[in-house]
Short mmCIF file of all heavy atoms in Angstrom, two decimals:
data_model
loop_
_atom_site.label_atom_id
_atom_site.label_comp_id
_atom_site.label_asym_id
_atom_site.label_seq_id
_atom_site.Cartn_x
_atom_site.Cartn_y
_atom_site.Cartn_z
N MET A 61 55.58 -270.43 146.16
CA MET A 61 54.98 -271.77 146.24
C MET A 61 55.31 -272.35 144.87
O MET A 61 54.95 -271.85 143.74
CB MET A 61 53.39 -271.74 146.47
CG MET A 61 52.79 -273.08 146.36
SD MET A 61 53.09 -274.13 147.92
CE MET A 61 51.86 -273.41 149.02
N THR A 62 55.97 -273.48 144.93
CA THR A 62 56.32 -274.28 143.73
C THR A 62 55.45 -275.45 143.53
O THR A 62 55.31 -276.19 144.64
CB THR A 62 57.77 -274.67 143.64
OG1 THR A 62 58.50 -273.46 143.72
CG2 THR A 62 58.08 -275.51 142.48
N THR A 63 54.89 -275.76 142.35
CA THR A 63 54.08 -277.03 142.25
C THR A 63 54.71 -277.88 141.19
O THR A 63 55.08 -277.40 140.09
CB THR A 63 52.67 -276.61 141.77
OG1 THR A 63 52.12 -275.75 142.81
CG2 THR A 63 51.71 -277.86 141.58
N MET A 64 54.80 -279.16 141.43
CA MET A 64 55.41 -280.12 140.48
C MET A 64 54.45 -281.38 140.36
O MET A 64 53.80 -281.54 141.40
CB MET A 64 56.73 -280.73 141.05
CG MET A 64 57.78 -279.55 140.89
SD MET A 64 59.34 -280.08 141.69
CE MET A 64 60.01 -281.08 140.40
N THR A 65 54.39 -282.02 139.41
CA THR A 65 53.61 -283.25 139.43
C THR A 65 54.44 -284.36 140.02
O THR A 65 55.60 -284.44 140.16
CB THR A 65 53.20 -283.63 137.98
OG1 THR A 65 54.57 -284.02 137.22
CG2 THR A 65 52.64 -282.59 137.20
N CYS A 66 53.63 -285.41 140.34
CA CYS A 66 54.34 -286.63 141.03
C CYS A 66 55.40 -287.27 140.02
O CYS A 66 56.42 -287.58 140.52
CB CYS A 66 53.20 -287.66 141.32
SG CYS A 66 53.72 -289.23 141.96
N ALA A 67 54.95 -287.22 138.77
CA ALA A 67 55.87 -287.91 137.70
C ALA A 67 57.18 -286.98 137.69
O ALA A 67 58.28 -287.64 137.61
CB ALA A 67 55.26 -287.90 136.33
N GLN A 68 57.05 -285.61 137.87
CA GLN A 68 58.29 -284.74 137.75
C GLN A 68 59.20 -285.11 138.92
O GLN A 68 60.42 -284.88 138.90
CB GLN A 68 57.86 -283.35 137.84
CG GLN A 68 57.55 -282.71 136.45
CD GLN A 68 57.17 -281.27 136.70
OE1 GLN A 68 56.31 -280.87 137.40
NE2 GLN A 68 57.81 -280.33 135.97
N MET A 69 58.61 -285.51 140.03
CA MET A 69 59.32 -285.81 141.28
C MET A 69 59.91 -287.12 141.31
O MET A 69 60.52 -287.47 142.30
CB MET A 69 58.44 -285.51 142.54
CG MET A 69 58.02 -284.07 142.72
SD MET A 69 57.16 -283.75 144.24
CE MET A 69 58.49 -284.09 145.42
N GLY A 70 59.72 -287.92 140.31
CA GLY A 70 60.22 -289.17 140.12
C GLY A 70 59.31 -290.28 140.45
O GLY A 70 59.61 -291.51 140.58
N GLY A 71 58.01 -289.88 140.47
CA GLY A 71 56.97 -290.89 140.66
C GLY A 71 56.64 -291.58 139.26
O GLY A 71 57.25 -291.40 138.33
N PRO A 72 55.56 -292.49 139.31
CA PRO A 72 55.21 -293.06 138.10
C PRO A 72 54.90 -292.04 136.93
O PRO A 72 54.32 -290.95 137.18
CB PRO A 72 53.84 -293.88 138.37
CG PRO A 72 53.92 -294.06 139.89
CD PRO A 72 54.70 -292.75 140.49
N ALA A 73 55.30 -292.37 135.72
CA ALA A 73 55.20 -291.27 134.69
C ALA A 73 53.80 -290.98 134.23
O ALA A 73 53.56 -289.85 133.70
CB ALA A 73 55.88 -291.92 133.38
N ASP A 74 52.84 -291.82 134.61
CA ASP A 74 51.39 -291.52 134.28
C ASP A 74 50.62 -290.84 135.54
O ASP A 74 49.45 -290.52 135.43
CB ASP A 74 50.71 -292.62 133.93
CG ASP A 74 50.69 -293.77 134.89
OD1 ASP A 74 51.33 -293.73 135.98
OD2 ASP A 74 49.97 -294.79 134.84
N CYS A 75 51.45 -290.52 136.65
CA CYS A 75 50.74 -289.93 137.73
C CYS A 75 50.85 -288.46 137.62
O CYS A 75 51.89 -287.93 137.60
CB CYS A 75 51.38 -290.32 139.13
SG CYS A 75 50.45 -289.77 140.46
N THR A 76 49.59 -287.73 137.50
CA THR A 76 49.63 -286.28 137.36
C THR A 76 49.24 -285.55 138.60
O THR A 76 48.90 -284.38 138.58
CB THR A 76 48.66 -285.97 136.26
OG1 THR A 76 47.43 -286.53 136.45
CG2 THR A 76 49.11 -286.46 134.73
N ALA A 77 49.25 -286.26 139.71
CA ALA A 77 48.96 -285.56 140.97
C ALA A 77 49.95 -284.45 141.12
O ALA A 77 51.07 -284.56 140.84
CB ALA A 77 48.92 -286.57 142.14
N THR A 78 49.44 -283.30 141.71
CA THR A 78 50.40 -282.12 141.90
C THR A 78 50.77 -282.10 143.35
O THR A 78 49.94 -282.29 144.24
CB THR A 78 49.79 -280.89 141.26
OG1 THR A 78 48.44 -280.63 141.92
CG2 THR A 78 49.72 -280.85 139.77
N ILE A 79 52.06 -281.70 143.60
CA ILE A 79 52.59 -281.51 144.85
C ILE A 79 53.12 -280.14 144.93
O ILE A 79 53.80 -279.69 144.08
CB ILE A 79 53.83 -282.51 145.11
CG1 ILE A 79 53.67 -283.86 144.37
CG2 ILE A 79 54.05 -282.68 146.60
CD1 ILE A 79 52.52 -284.85 145.09
N SER A 80 52.87 -279.43 146.03
CA SER A 80 53.26 -278.08 146.26
C SER A 80 54.15 -277.90 147.46
O SER A 80 53.97 -278.70 148.47
CB SER A 80 52.08 -277.14 146.27
OG SER A 80 51.31 -277.20 145.21
N GLY A 81 55.07 -276.95 147.44
CA GLY A 81 55.90 -276.66 148.62
C GLY A 81 56.60 -275.21 148.50
O GLY A 81 56.84 -274.87 147.25
N ASN A 82 56.96 -274.61 149.45
CA ASN A 82 57.70 -273.35 149.30
C ASN A 82 59.18 -273.67 149.24
O ASN A 82 59.95 -272.83 148.65
CB ASN A 82 57.27 -272.37 150.70
CG ASN A 82 56.13 -271.86 150.49
OD1 ASN A 82 55.59 -271.33 149.56
ND2 ASN A 82 55.24 -271.99 151.61
N THR A 83 59.65 -274.82 149.77
CA THR A 83 60.96 -275.15 149.69
C THR A 83 61.10 -276.58 149.24
O THR A 83 60.18 -277.30 149.18
CB THR A 83 61.69 -275.03 151.14
OG1 THR A 83 60.98 -275.96 151.97
CG2 THR A 83 61.59 -273.63 151.74
N SER A 84 62.34 -276.93 148.85
CA SER A 84 62.59 -278.35 148.32
C SER A 84 62.23 -279.29 149.47
O SER A 84 61.59 -280.34 149.20
CB SER A 84 63.93 -278.56 147.81
OG SER A 84 64.83 -278.34 148.84
N GLN A 85 62.58 -278.87 150.76
CA GLN A 85 62.24 -279.72 151.90
C GLN A 85 60.87 -280.00 152.10
O GLN A 85 60.30 -281.00 152.28
CB GLN A 85 62.86 -279.00 153.11
CG GLN A 85 62.77 -279.86 154.35
CD GLN A 85 63.84 -280.93 154.41
OE1 GLN A 85 64.97 -280.69 154.08
NE2 GLN A 85 63.53 -282.05 154.82
N GLU A 86 60.03 -278.84 151.85
CA GLU A 86 58.57 -278.91 152.08
C GLU A 86 57.88 -279.82 150.97
O GLU A 86 57.05 -280.63 151.21
CB GLU A 86 58.01 -277.56 151.91
CG GLU A 86 56.76 -277.27 152.68
CD GLU A 86 56.49 -275.84 152.81
OE1 GLU A 86 57.25 -275.10 153.58
OE2 GLU A 86 55.47 -275.44 152.15
N ILE A 87 58.40 -279.67 149.71
CA ILE A 87 57.79 -280.40 148.64
C ILE A 87 58.04 -281.93 148.74
O ILE A 87 57.26 -282.70 148.51
CB ILE A 87 58.20 -279.74 147.23
CG1 ILE A 87 57.06 -280.05 146.19
CG2 ILE A 87 59.49 -280.18 146.73
CD1 ILE A 87 57.20 -279.26 144.98
N ILE A 88 59.27 -282.22 149.20
CA ILE A 88 59.71 -283.60 149.44
C ILE A 88 58.83 -284.20 150.50
O ILE A 88 58.22 -285.23 150.34
CB ILE A 88 61.23 -283.79 149.81
CG1 ILE A 88 62.08 -283.40 148.68
CG2 ILE A 88 61.51 -285.03 150.32
CD1 ILE A 88 63.59 -283.25 148.82
N GLU A 89 58.57 -283.44 151.67
CA GLU A 89 57.71 -283.98 152.57
C GLU A 89 56.30 -284.15 152.17
O GLU A 89 55.68 -285.21 152.41
CB GLU A 89 57.52 -282.93 153.80
CG GLU A 89 58.72 -283.03 154.75
CD GLU A 89 58.68 -281.87 155.88
OE1 GLU A 89 57.65 -281.28 156.02
OE2 GLU A 89 59.86 -281.55 156.24
N ASN A 90 55.84 -283.27 151.29
CA ASN A 90 54.34 -283.33 150.84
C ASN A 90 54.21 -284.52 149.64
O ASN A 90 53.37 -285.24 149.56
CB ASN A 90 53.82 -282.10 150.18
CG ASN A 90 53.66 -281.04 151.21
OD1 ASN A 90 53.29 -281.34 152.35
ND2 ASN A 90 53.78 -279.71 150.91
N GLY A 91 55.45 -284.59 148.94
CA GLY A 91 55.53 -285.69 147.95
C GLY A 91 55.57 -287.08 148.70
O GLY A 91 54.98 -287.98 148.15
N THR A 92 56.26 -287.08 149.78
CA THR A 92 56.37 -288.32 150.57
C THR A 92 54.91 -288.79 151.05
O THR A 92 54.56 -290.00 150.88
CB THR A 92 57.32 -288.31 151.65
OG1 THR A 92 58.59 -287.80 151.17
CG2 THR A 92 57.45 -289.54 152.49
N LYS A 93 54.20 -287.80 151.54
CA LYS A 93 52.86 -288.18 152.03
C LYS A 93 51.98 -288.63 150.94
O LYS A 93 51.16 -289.59 150.95
CB LYS A 93 52.12 -286.89 152.57
CG LYS A 93 52.67 -286.43 153.97
CD LYS A 93 51.84 -285.22 154.39
CE LYS A 93 52.76 -284.57 155.51
NZ LYS A 93 52.44 -283.05 155.63
N HIS A 94 52.01 -288.05 149.61
CA HIS A 94 51.31 -288.58 148.45
C HIS A 94 51.70 -290.05 148.18
O HIS A 94 50.82 -290.76 147.85
CB HIS A 94 51.58 -287.60 147.27
CG HIS A 94 51.19 -288.12 146.04
ND1 HIS A 94 49.83 -288.36 145.57
CD2 HIS A 94 51.85 -288.66 144.93
CE1 HIS A 94 49.71 -288.87 144.41
NE2 HIS A 94 51.03 -289.07 144.01
N VAL A 95 53.01 -290.24 148.16
CA VAL A 95 53.54 -291.70 147.79
C VAL A 95 52.91 -292.64 148.88
O VAL A 95 52.50 -293.75 148.46
CB VAL A 95 55.14 -291.60 147.75
CG1 VAL A 95 55.65 -293.09 147.87
CG2 VAL A 95 55.60 -290.84 146.47
N LEU A 96 52.95 -292.30 150.06
CA LEU A 96 52.50 -293.10 151.17
C LEU A 96 51.11 -293.56 150.90
O LEU A 96 50.66 -294.56 151.11
CB LEU A 96 52.77 -292.61 152.63
CG LEU A 96 54.07 -292.44 153.07
CD1 LEU A 96 54.17 -291.66 154.31
CD2 LEU A 96 54.72 -293.78 153.30
N GLY A 97 50.24 -292.54 150.46
CA GLY A 97 48.80 -292.63 150.25
C GLY A 97 48.49 -293.32 148.89
O GLY A 97 47.54 -294.00 148.84
N SER A 98 49.24 -293.08 147.94
CA SER A 98 48.84 -293.45 146.51
C SER A 98 49.82 -294.46 145.89
O SER A 98 49.36 -295.23 144.98
CB SER A 98 48.87 -292.21 145.56
OG SER A 98 48.08 -291.28 146.10
N HIS A 99 50.98 -294.69 146.39
CA HIS A 99 51.96 -295.54 145.63
C HIS A 99 52.71 -296.45 146.79
O HIS A 99 53.82 -296.24 147.03
CB HIS A 99 53.07 -294.81 144.86
CG HIS A 99 52.47 -293.77 143.87
ND1 HIS A 99 51.63 -294.08 142.94
CD2 HIS A 99 52.58 -292.46 143.89
CE1 HIS A 99 51.31 -293.03 142.20
NE2 HIS A 99 51.86 -291.95 142.74
N PRO A 100 51.94 -297.38 147.35
CA PRO A 100 52.44 -298.11 148.48
C PRO A 100 53.80 -298.88 148.02
O PRO A 100 54.66 -299.00 148.91
CB PRO A 100 51.37 -299.04 148.92
CG PRO A 100 50.25 -298.96 147.86
CD PRO A 100 50.52 -297.56 147.22
N GLU A 101 53.89 -299.40 146.87
CA GLU A 101 55.01 -299.98 146.43
C GLU A 101 56.25 -299.11 146.48
O GLU A 101 57.28 -299.48 146.89
CB GLU A 101 54.88 -300.58 145.02
CG GLU A 101 53.88 -301.69 144.90
CD GLU A 101 53.53 -302.16 143.48
OE1 GLU A 101 54.42 -301.71 142.50
OE2 GLU A 101 52.61 -302.79 143.32
N MET A 102 56.03 -297.86 145.89
CA MET A 102 57.15 -296.85 146.05
C MET A 102 57.44 -296.56 147.43
O MET A 102 58.56 -296.29 147.75
CB MET A 102 56.75 -295.63 145.22
CG MET A 102 57.18 -295.42 143.85
SD MET A 102 56.64 -293.84 143.16
CE MET A 102 58.04 -292.86 143.79
N ALA A 103 56.56 -296.50 148.29
CA ALA A 103 56.72 -296.25 149.75
C ALA A 103 57.56 -297.29 150.29
O ALA A 103 58.50 -296.93 151.12
CB ALA A 103 55.44 -296.09 150.49
N GLU A 104 57.32 -298.44 150.01
CA GLU A 104 58.24 -299.57 150.49
C GLU A 104 59.64 -299.38 150.04
O GLU A 104 60.65 -299.60 150.83
CB GLU A 104 57.66 -300.91 150.00
CG GLU A 104 56.52 -301.46 150.68
CD GLU A 104 56.72 -301.56 152.24
OE1 GLU A 104 57.83 -302.11 152.65
OE2 GLU A 104 55.82 -301.06 153.01
N ASP A 105 59.89 -299.07 148.76
CA ASP A 105 61.28 -298.85 148.28
C ASP A 105 61.90 -297.65 149.04
O ASP A 105 63.16 -297.77 149.35
CB ASP A 105 61.20 -298.52 146.74
CG ASP A 105 60.95 -299.72 145.87
OD1 ASP A 105 60.95 -300.79 146.47
OD2 ASP A 105 60.58 -299.62 144.74
N MET A 106 61.02 -296.68 149.27
CA MET A 106 61.63 -295.44 150.01
C MET A 106 62.05 -295.82 151.43
O MET A 106 63.06 -295.36 151.91
CB MET A 106 60.70 -294.26 150.03
CG MET A 106 60.46 -293.65 148.71
SD MET A 106 59.08 -292.42 148.71
CE MET A 106 59.56 -291.23 149.83
N LYS A 107 61.33 -296.70 152.04
CA LYS A 107 61.70 -297.21 153.39
C LYS A 107 62.88 -297.87 153.59
O LYS A 107 63.64 -297.86 154.51
CB LYS A 107 60.56 -298.13 153.97
CG LYS A 107 59.34 -297.34 154.48
CD LYS A 107 58.27 -298.25 155.04
CE LYS A 107 56.83 -297.72 155.02
NZ LYS A 107 55.81 -298.72 155.19
N LYS A 108 63.34 -298.56 152.38
CA LYS A 108 64.56 -299.36 152.27
C LYS A 108 65.73 -298.58 152.08
O LYS A 108 66.92 -298.90 152.20
CB LYS A 108 64.41 -300.41 151.28
CG LYS A 108 63.55 -301.59 151.50
CD LYS A 108 63.44 -302.52 150.41
CE LYS A 108 62.07 -303.29 150.37
NZ LYS A 108 61.75 -303.73 149.15
N MET A 109 65.63 -297.17 151.57
CA MET A 109 66.65 -296.31 151.34
C MET A 109 67.50 -295.95 152.58
O MET A 109 66.96 -295.77 153.62
CB MET A 109 66.19 -295.04 150.67
CG MET A 109 65.83 -295.29 149.17
SD MET A 109 64.87 -293.69 148.57
CE MET A 109 66.29 -292.66 148.09
N THR A 110 68.91 -295.93 152.38
CA THR A 110 69.69 -295.63 153.47
C THR A 110 69.72 -294.04 153.43
O THR A 110 69.29 -293.39 152.49
CB THR A 110 71.15 -296.05 153.18
OG1 THR A 110 71.55 -295.46 152.02
CG2 THR A 110 71.11 -297.69 153.02
N ASP A 111 70.16 -293.48 154.61
CA ASP A 111 70.33 -292.05 154.73
C ASP A 111 71.12 -291.42 153.68
O ASP A 111 70.87 -290.43 153.08
CB ASP A 111 70.88 -291.69 156.01
CG ASP A 111 70.01 -291.80 157.09
OD1 ASP A 111 68.71 -291.96 156.94
OD2 ASP A 111 70.33 -291.89 158.39
N GLU A 112 72.24 -292.20 153.12
CA GLU A 112 73.15 -291.85 152.15
C GLU A 112 72.23 -291.73 150.89
O GLU A 112 72.49 -290.71 149.93
CB GLU A 112 74.22 -292.82 151.99
CG GLU A 112 75.48 -292.25 151.31
CD GLU A 112 76.67 -293.29 151.39
OE1 GLU A 112 76.93 -293.71 152.48
OE2 GLU A 112 77.05 -293.65 150.33
N GLU A 113 71.49 -292.79 150.54
CA GLU A 113 70.67 -292.74 149.24
C GLU A 113 69.70 -291.61 149.35
O GLU A 113 69.33 -290.97 148.19
CB GLU A 113 70.02 -294.04 149.16
CG GLU A 113 70.97 -295.25 148.63
CD GLU A 113 70.35 -296.62 148.81
OE1 GLU A 113 69.33 -296.76 149.66
OE2 GLU A 113 70.72 -297.56 148.04
N LYS A 114 69.17 -291.34 150.45
CA LYS A 114 68.08 -290.26 150.59
C LYS A 114 68.87 -289.00 150.20
O LYS A 114 68.27 -288.00 149.66
CB LYS A 114 67.49 -290.29 151.93
CG LYS A 114 66.46 -291.34 152.19
CD LYS A 114 65.78 -291.33 153.53
CE LYS A 114 65.01 -292.59 153.86
NZ LYS A 114 64.75 -292.67 155.28
N ALA A 115 70.12 -288.75 150.77
CA ALA A 115 70.79 -287.52 150.56
C ALA A 115 71.03 -287.29 149.21
O ALA A 115 71.05 -286.32 148.61
CB ALA A 115 72.08 -287.41 151.36
N LYS A 116 71.48 -288.42 148.48
CA LYS A 116 71.71 -288.46 147.01
C LYS A 116 70.50 -288.03 146.27
O LYS A 116 70.58 -287.20 145.33
CB LYS A 116 72.27 -289.74 146.51
CG LYS A 116 72.80 -289.68 145.17
CD LYS A 116 73.39 -291.02 144.69
CE LYS A 116 73.79 -291.09 143.26
NZ LYS A 116 72.66 -290.62 142.30
N TRP A 117 69.35 -288.52 146.64
CA TRP A 117 68.08 -288.35 146.03
C TRP A 117 67.80 -286.83 146.13
O TRP A 117 67.45 -286.17 145.18
CB TRP A 117 67.06 -289.27 146.55
CG TRP A 117 65.71 -289.12 145.76
CD1 TRP A 117 65.44 -290.02 144.73
CD2 TRP A 117 64.66 -288.17 145.89
NE1 TRP A 117 64.18 -289.42 144.18
CE2 TRP A 117 63.77 -288.46 144.90
CE3 TRP A 117 64.49 -287.07 146.78
CZ2 TRP A 117 62.60 -287.72 144.82
CZ3 TRP A 117 63.27 -286.31 146.66
CH2 TRP A 117 62.44 -286.63 145.64
N ALA A 118 67.87 -286.32 147.29
CA ALA A 118 67.56 -284.86 147.63
C ALA A 118 68.48 -284.03 146.71
O ALA A 118 68.04 -282.94 146.21
CB ALA A 118 67.75 -284.65 149.03
N ALA A 119 69.81 -284.45 146.60
CA ALA A 119 70.76 -283.61 145.80
C ALA A 119 70.44 -283.55 144.41
O ALA A 119 70.49 -282.63 143.75
CB ALA A 119 72.17 -284.15 146.07
N ASP A 120 69.99 -284.72 143.93
CA ASP A 120 69.47 -284.99 142.44
C ASP A 120 68.23 -284.05 142.22
O ASP A 120 67.95 -283.47 141.17
CB ASP A 120 69.23 -286.35 142.07
CG ASP A 120 70.45 -287.09 141.80
OD1 ASP A 120 71.67 -286.52 141.73
OD2 ASP A 120 70.43 -288.45 141.98
N PHE A 121 67.40 -283.97 143.27
CA PHE A 121 66.14 -283.35 143.22
C PHE A 121 66.18 -281.79 143.11
O PHE A 121 65.46 -281.16 142.50
CB PHE A 121 65.20 -283.87 144.31
CG PHE A 121 63.86 -283.19 144.32
CD1 PHE A 121 62.92 -283.51 143.40
CD2 PHE A 121 63.50 -282.21 145.19
CE1 PHE A 121 61.62 -282.98 143.35
CE2 PHE A 121 62.38 -281.59 145.10
CZ PHE A 121 61.41 -281.94 144.24
N GLN A 122 67.16 -281.36 143.88
CA GLN A 122 67.37 -279.85 143.98
C GLN A 122 67.30 -279.05 142.71
O GLN A 122 66.44 -278.15 142.52
CB GLN A 122 68.57 -279.52 144.88
CG GLN A 122 68.64 -278.05 145.16
CD GLN A 122 67.56 -277.60 146.24
OE1 GLN A 122 67.40 -278.23 147.19
NE2 GLN A 122 66.97 -276.43 145.88
N PRO A 123 68.15 -279.41 141.68
CA PRO A 123 68.05 -278.71 140.43
C PRO A 123 66.67 -278.80 139.70
O PRO A 123 66.19 -277.87 139.16
CB PRO A 123 69.11 -279.37 139.56
CG PRO A 123 69.67 -280.57 140.24
CD PRO A 123 69.18 -280.30 141.77
N LYS A 124 65.87 -280.05 139.83
CA LYS A 124 64.58 -280.09 139.35
C LYS A 124 63.60 -279.08 139.98
O LYS A 124 62.89 -278.44 139.38
CB LYS A 124 64.02 -281.41 139.52
CG LYS A 124 64.93 -282.56 138.76
CD LYS A 124 64.27 -283.91 139.04
CE LYS A 124 65.21 -285.01 138.68
NZ LYS A 124 64.69 -286.34 139.13
N PHE A 125 63.79 -278.99 141.35
CA PHE A 125 63.06 -278.11 142.09
C PHE A 125 63.28 -276.50 141.72
O PHE A 125 62.39 -275.81 141.43
CB PHE A 125 63.19 -278.30 143.63
CG PHE A 125 62.43 -277.23 144.51
CD1 PHE A 125 61.09 -277.55 144.79
CD2 PHE A 125 63.06 -276.06 144.89
CE1 PHE A 125 60.56 -276.44 145.53
CE2 PHE A 125 62.26 -275.17 145.70
CZ PHE A 125 61.04 -275.34 146.00
N ASP A 126 64.60 -276.36 141.53
CA ASP A 126 64.99 -274.94 141.17
C ASP A 126 64.43 -274.63 139.77
O ASP A 126 64.02 -273.48 139.63
CB ASP A 126 66.49 -274.85 141.14
CG ASP A 126 67.10 -274.91 142.50
OD1 ASP A 126 66.37 -274.80 143.53
OD2 ASP A 126 68.29 -275.24 142.59
N ALA A 127 64.40 -275.53 138.83
CA ALA A 127 63.88 -275.34 137.48
C ALA A 127 62.41 -275.10 137.49
O ALA A 127 61.99 -274.15 136.95
CB ALA A 127 64.29 -276.59 136.63
N ALA A 128 61.67 -275.82 138.35
CA ALA A 128 60.36 -275.70 138.54
C ALA A 128 59.93 -274.40 139.06
O ALA A 128 58.93 -273.78 138.77
CB ALA A 128 59.70 -276.90 139.30
N SER A 129 60.75 -273.97 139.94
CA SER A 129 60.57 -272.61 140.79
C SER A 129 60.60 -271.51 139.85
O SER A 129 59.94 -270.50 139.96
CB SER A 129 61.51 -272.51 141.97
OG SER A 129 61.49 -273.56 142.81
N GLU A 130 61.52 -271.66 138.93
CA GLU A 130 61.76 -270.49 137.92
C GLU A 130 60.61 -270.46 136.80
O GLU A 130 60.52 -269.40 136.24
CB GLU A 130 63.13 -270.65 137.31
CG GLU A 130 64.34 -270.37 138.20
CD GLU A 130 65.56 -270.86 137.75
OE1 GLU A 130 65.74 -271.22 136.60
OE2 GLU A 130 66.50 -270.86 138.59
N ALA A 131 60.04 -271.61 136.59
CA ALA A 131 59.14 -271.62 135.53
C ALA A 131 57.82 -270.74 135.78
O ALA A 131 57.43 -270.64 136.93
CB ALA A 131 58.74 -273.09 135.20
ZN1 ZN B 98 51.68 -290.09 142.43
#
């Protein structure tokens, strides 16, 4: 189980909410739920993302998740 803060996942720098998941897929799903509940403006931006942009975001996120997993 890997835990990251919302800020580490690309959320607002002052958000210290923690998100956990066993895989990058799982932590992204849990992070999305947190954003929907706590950051409606970010959620709106996420809804506007194309599949291509989402794929790029996930690719950028993977090394951050790997680094957090090893810590
Ligand atoms: Zn947050």
Side-chain angles (χ1 to χ4, degrees):
M61 178 76 81
T62 297
T63 301
M64 295 173 77
T65 65
C66 177
Q68 277 180 305
M69 292 185 71
D74 61 349
C75 184
T76 54
T78 52
I79 323 287
S80 300
N82 288 311
T83 62
S84 59
Q85 187 75 40
E86 209 172 289
I87 205 167
I88 287 169
E89 278 172 25
N90 290 332
T92 301
K93 280 180 206 158
H94 165 73
V95 164
L96 290 172
S98 303
H99 310 299
E101 290 171 15
M102 263 182 80
E104 281 303 311
D105 286 344
M106 283 170 69
K107 281 182 203 161
K108 289 179 206 153
M109 283 170 81
T110 62
D111 286 346
E112 200 173 306
E113 284 169 335
K114 282 179 195 165
K116 187 181 179 302
W117 189 92
D120 286 344
F121 178 73
Q122 187 64 47
K124 295 180 197 170
F125 175 82
D126 290 342
S129 305
E130 286 161 15

